[in-house]
Amino acid sequence: MNTPFSKFGISQSATRVEDIRLLTGHGRYTDDIAPEGALHMYVLRAQMAHANLSGIDTTEAKSAPGVHGVFVAGDLEGVMENAMNAIPVKNRDGRTAAVPHRPALATDRVRFVGEAVAVIVADTLQQARDAAEMILVDYDDLPATTELEFGGPEIHPEAPENLAYDWAHGDAEATEAAFRSATHRVKLRVHSNRVIANSMEPRACYAEMEGERLHVCFSGQGVWGVKRHLAGSFRMAPANIRVTNPDVGGGFGMKVHAYPEYLLAAFAAKTLGQPVRWTPDRSESMLTDNACRDLYSDAEAGFDENYKLVALRVNAVSNLGAYSSGFGQNIQSELALKVFPGVYDVQNAYFGVRGIYTNTTPVDAYRGAGRPEAIYVLERLFDHAARRFGLDPSDLRRRSFIRAEQMPYKTAAGELYDVGDFDRVLTRAETEADVAGFAARQQASAAKGKLRGLGLCFYIESILGAPQETTRIEFAEDGQLNLYVGTQSNGQGHETAYTQLLCEKTGWDPAKVRIIQGDSDAIPAGGGTGGSRSVTMQGNSIYKTSDLMIERLKPLASDELEVHPQDVIFDKGAFAIIGTDRRITLPDVVSKARESGQNELLDHSVEYDLPARSYPNGAHFCEVEIDPHTGHTQVVKYTIVDDFGLLINPMLAEGQVHGGVVQGIGQAITEHAIYDETGQLLTGSFMDYGMPRARDIPTMAFHTELVPSTANEIGMKGCGEAGTVGAMAAVMNAVQDALWDRGIRQVDMPVTPLRMWEWLQQAD
């Protein structure tokens, strides 16, 4: 790309540099780059949701054509086979929550349909599938539990009543006292349905031995967590393990973790001495990828005589599935807490969550990871309160907003909001959404026999993930600048954004920047991608590394300019003598360093520590039309005004928000993972699972009202998950608005035509 530096700095909508490669079929995904001749791994999975394993006979399968190995749990002895490193929370009584062991291959019991029972490795995938049919598994069926209810058939002895954790934050007595003194009180129960991430590229991996070293490549969101997991499982020195991520076709939090298949492929490769590859089909992915959301919340709010919020209480029950996944316990507790009070000035607040084990696929992170769920509850509650009180939803929110002059503001959750002007953002959103013209649009819909509703969500979120990130700048012999980063693009456009940041700071030709990511050998540490952290963390790390590089090169530049370093500044890609036009460009200084043998000046690295987190926020207005005869609900107008601080690339930010909103609309209207009473997934293909389509989505109006963050040098706030955080409540509040005059006081996701039709029939 030969774009001049002056047109490729930050805050410009530069075209994505990676798109030509990806759109012309030159992307390199895990399944594309598996070693030639690699063996194929197939996983035999449990067909029962809950059963004792009384026997597995693999004799016939082992002698099947093309088969190189068949492995069951007993073959993994000596391997620390906990398939996922789950992080427990502390219960409200101070004890550590229950985290039962999850084996890579089921041992004496299976606990969800799709749990791995055996692996078959063969020359071809079809041979491995055929051999799997020859394995005889004896199941002793046990009762299954799939509902969000305590008690029932015991899944783990460590978790009586199937209670995984019982966590809480806040002063229960002070909150209750605030409720007693409140003039107005309102309560609402809301459900957040289970959904499946369904990334375009499924999870995939291959493993191979490179001499004495193990190399595992997988489609994921960062390499270091999987590397630590493999090192611990095989008791190997980390230096003897290399983990890589190539191009990745979507992650959404679902691809953060070390899944059993990565360990199993590595075990097979080590055991057989040959490369082993694994790529699931879509139904296998839907059975085994970490599921998302799945909880209900009982929310209460107390207001004073002026309808200002004075008390807030939420008690939730969260489904963990059959096992605690990596962040499974943290998402609906500690991560949701980050935004629990939302944008509202209230200190008497209490938040409690209990987690439950069920015979379903484990539940973990999905775009937003706790923040969409928390904001959904809060914003549904506020809208419900406004309708109960006969107030305008925007007006009720404004009465309780944290004011700009109160910043920095420490919330009841202990978070420190550095900046924010919520009233300004909402006022802009009301204008852009033409709220004043809604009544006319509602009448026009009524003339067509349609119900029309207007919904608002004012969200805030916190960027999450590791507060450190590493950048390395290396000047290569071919004239390129190698920029090593610790994050991992899953399709967000990191190559473009990072190049913009680097070129803004250094003036380097963007056509000569090479982004290197996803290789544990290339960079010593990194935080990966997740929690809207990537561009904020990596961007500030790039800035710090660029500053270090400039300072380290300044003495050499000064020598060439024949002045003291204190008389030299760096500006627009060159070192210059202050007050003169004498300059030497950065590429020329780099050439001088190479010519003089000062190779230490060709490689620069910084691990950046974020001093504080930033808090993206914004207002979403959604309008829906409902056909009362068919129950079909259509989003017909959608307006977004976001505060993301300083934008690196507005076009990329808009794309991220659009994608997030689509996922929120999908959960609100079309998506729902359903199990029957025996634990069988009934929505295990796109024939039954309702992914949103282009026809379900209107043109979205995206605007920004920026308040730069003071929590980092650039003034950025993350944007990757904001669309989803705001979308669910905006859509559902619009649905509730359309139905309120029909006497319908409770709606829950997803708003399928059947559910809508039934609500309307019951109201009539």
Short mmCIF file of all heavy atoms in Angstrom, two decimals, residues 515-539:
data_model
loop_
_atom_site.label_atom_id
_atom_site.label_comp_id
_atom_site.label_asym_id
_atom_site.label_seq_id
_atom_site.Cartn_x
_atom_site.Cartn_y
_atom_site.Cartn_z
N ILE A 515 3.09 -6.75 10.12
CA ILE A 515 2.56 -7.11 11.43
C ILE A 515 2.81 -8.59 11.68
O ILE A 515 2.46 -9.45 10.86
CB ILE A 515 1.05 -6.82 11.53
CG1 ILE A 515 0.76 -5.36 11.15
CG2 ILE A 515 0.53 -7.14 12.93
CD1 ILE A 515 1.33 -4.33 12.08
N ILE A 516 3.41 -8.91 12.82
CA ILE A 516 3.67 -10.29 13.21
C ILE A 516 2.96 -10.55 14.53
O ILE A 516 3.17 -9.86 15.52
CB ILE A 516 5.19 -10.55 13.34
CG1 ILE A 516 5.87 -10.30 11.98
CG2 ILE A 516 5.45 -11.98 13.82
CD1 ILE A 516 7.38 -10.36 12.04
N GLN A 517 2.09 -11.55 14.51
CA GLN A 517 1.26 -11.85 15.68
C GLN A 517 1.11 -13.36 15.80
O GLN A 517 1.45 -14.12 14.91
CB GLN A 517 -0.11 -11.20 15.52
CG GLN A 517 -0.89 -11.71 14.30
CD GLN A 517 -2.25 -11.08 14.13
OE1 GLN A 517 -2.75 -10.39 15.01
NE2 GLN A 517 -2.86 -11.31 12.98
N GLY A 518 0.59 -13.78 16.95
CA GLY A 518 0.18 -15.16 17.11
C GLY A 518 1.30 -16.17 17.05
O GLY A 518 1.12 -17.24 16.45
N ASP A 519 2.44 -15.89 17.67
CA ASP A 519 3.56 -16.84 17.68
C ASP A 519 4.30 -16.67 18.99
O ASP A 519 4.93 -15.64 19.24
CB ASP A 519 4.49 -16.58 16.49
CG ASP A 519 5.55 -17.67 16.33
OD1 ASP A 519 5.87 -18.36 17.32
OD2 ASP A 519 6.05 -17.83 15.20
N SER A 520 4.23 -17.69 19.84
CA SER A 520 4.84 -17.58 21.16
C SER A 520 6.36 -17.55 21.10
O SER A 520 7.00 -17.17 22.08
CB SER A 520 4.37 -18.73 22.07
OG SER A 520 4.81 -19.98 21.57
N ASP A 521 6.95 -17.94 19.96
CA ASP A 521 8.40 -17.84 19.80
C ASP A 521 8.82 -16.43 19.43
O ASP A 521 9.97 -16.03 19.68
CB ASP A 521 8.88 -18.80 18.72
CG ASP A 521 9.07 -20.22 19.23
OD1 ASP A 521 8.76 -20.48 20.41
OD2 ASP A 521 9.52 -21.08 18.44
N ALA A 522 7.92 -15.68 18.81
CA ALA A 522 8.30 -14.38 18.27
C ALA A 522 8.24 -13.26 19.29
O ALA A 522 8.91 -12.24 19.13
CB ALA A 522 7.42 -14.04 17.07
N ILE A 523 7.40 -13.41 20.29
CA ILE A 523 7.24 -12.37 21.30
C ILE A 523 7.04 -13.06 22.65
O ILE A 523 6.33 -14.06 22.74
CB ILE A 523 6.06 -11.44 20.93
CG1 ILE A 523 6.08 -10.17 21.78
CG2 ILE A 523 4.73 -12.14 21.00
CD1 ILE A 523 5.17 -9.07 21.23
N PRO A 524 7.71 -12.59 23.69
CA PRO A 524 7.76 -13.37 24.93
C PRO A 524 6.46 -13.43 25.71
O PRO A 524 6.22 -14.37 26.45
CB PRO A 524 8.84 -12.66 25.75
CG PRO A 524 8.88 -11.26 25.20
CD PRO A 524 8.58 -11.39 23.75
N ALA A 525 5.60 -12.43 25.57
CA ALA A 525 4.36 -12.42 26.35
C ALA A 525 3.35 -11.53 25.67
O ALA A 525 3.70 -10.60 24.93
CB ALA A 525 4.63 -11.91 27.77
N GLY A 526 2.10 -11.81 25.93
CA GLY A 526 1.04 -10.99 25.37
C GLY A 526 -0.28 -11.33 26.02
O GLY A 526 -0.44 -12.40 26.61
N GLY A 527 -1.24 -10.43 25.89
CA GLY A 527 -2.53 -10.64 26.53
C GLY A 527 -3.59 -11.20 25.63
O GLY A 527 -4.70 -11.48 26.08
N GLY A 528 -3.26 -11.39 24.32
CA GLY A 528 -4.26 -11.90 23.41
C GLY A 528 -5.38 -10.89 23.20
O GLY A 528 -5.29 -9.72 23.58
N THR A 529 -6.45 -11.37 22.57
CA THR A 529 -7.56 -10.50 22.22
C THR A 529 -8.81 -10.90 22.98
O THR A 529 -9.16 -12.08 23.03
CB THR A 529 -7.82 -10.56 20.70
OG1 THR A 529 -6.74 -9.91 20.04
CG2 THR A 529 -9.13 -9.89 20.33
N GLY A 530 -9.49 -9.94 23.55
CA GLY A 530 -10.71 -10.17 24.31
C GLY A 530 -10.98 -9.00 25.22
O GLY A 530 -10.05 -8.28 25.62
N GLY A 531 -12.24 -8.77 25.54
CA GLY A 531 -12.58 -7.71 26.47
C GLY A 531 -12.40 -6.31 25.92
O GLY A 531 -12.18 -5.37 26.69
N SER A 532 -12.47 -6.16 24.59
CA SER A 532 -12.32 -4.84 23.95
C SER A 532 -10.97 -4.20 24.27
O SER A 532 -10.84 -2.98 24.26
CB SER A 532 -13.46 -3.89 24.37
OG SER A 532 -14.71 -4.40 24.02
N ARG A 533 -9.95 -5.03 24.51
CA ARG A 533 -8.68 -4.50 24.97
C ARG A 533 -7.67 -4.23 23.87
O ARG A 533 -6.71 -3.46 24.06
CB ARG A 533 -8.04 -5.51 25.96
CG ARG A 533 -7.53 -6.78 25.31
CD ARG A 533 -6.91 -7.76 26.31
NE ARG A 533 -5.73 -7.27 26.95
CZ ARG A 533 -4.50 -7.34 26.43
NH1 ARG A 533 -4.32 -7.85 25.23
NH2 ARG A 533 -3.47 -6.88 27.10
N SER A 534 -7.83 -4.84 22.71
CA SER A 534 -6.71 -4.97 21.78
C SER A 534 -6.12 -3.64 21.33
O SER A 534 -4.93 -3.38 21.52
CB SER A 534 -7.14 -5.79 20.56
OG SER A 534 -7.41 -7.11 20.91
N VAL A 535 -6.92 -2.79 20.68
CA VAL A 535 -6.34 -1.58 20.12
C VAL A 535 -5.93 -0.61 21.21
O VAL A 535 -4.92 0.08 21.10
CB VAL A 535 -7.31 -0.94 19.11
CG1 VAL A 535 -6.75 0.37 18.57
CG2 VAL A 535 -7.56 -1.90 17.94
N THR A 536 -6.69 -0.55 22.31
CA THR A 536 -6.29 0.33 23.41
C THR A 536 -4.98 -0.13 24.02
O THR A 536 -4.03 0.67 24.16
CB THR A 536 -7.38 0.37 24.50
OG1 THR A 536 -8.58 0.88 23.94
CG2 THR A 536 -6.95 1.25 25.66
N MET A 537 -4.89 -1.39 24.37
CA MET A 537 -3.67 -1.89 25.01
C MET A 537 -2.50 -1.90 24.03
O MET A 537 -1.42 -1.41 24.34
CB MET A 537 -3.91 -3.30 25.54
CG MET A 537 -4.87 -3.39 26.71
SD MET A 537 -4.30 -2.45 28.14
CE MET A 537 -2.64 -3.07 28.32
N GLN A 538 -2.71 -2.49 22.86
CA GLN A 538 -1.61 -2.59 21.91
C GLN A 538 -1.24 -1.22 21.36
O GLN A 538 -0.05 -0.93 21.14
CB GLN A 538 -2.00 -3.52 20.76
CG GLN A 538 -0.82 -4.01 19.94
CD GLN A 538 0.01 -5.03 20.70
OE1 GLN A 538 -0.44 -6.12 20.99
NE2 GLN A 538 1.25 -4.67 21.02
N GLY A 539 -2.23 -0.36 21.15
CA GLY A 539 -1.94 0.97 20.64
C GLY A 539 -1.05 1.76 21.57
O GLY A 539 -0.07 2.39 21.15
#
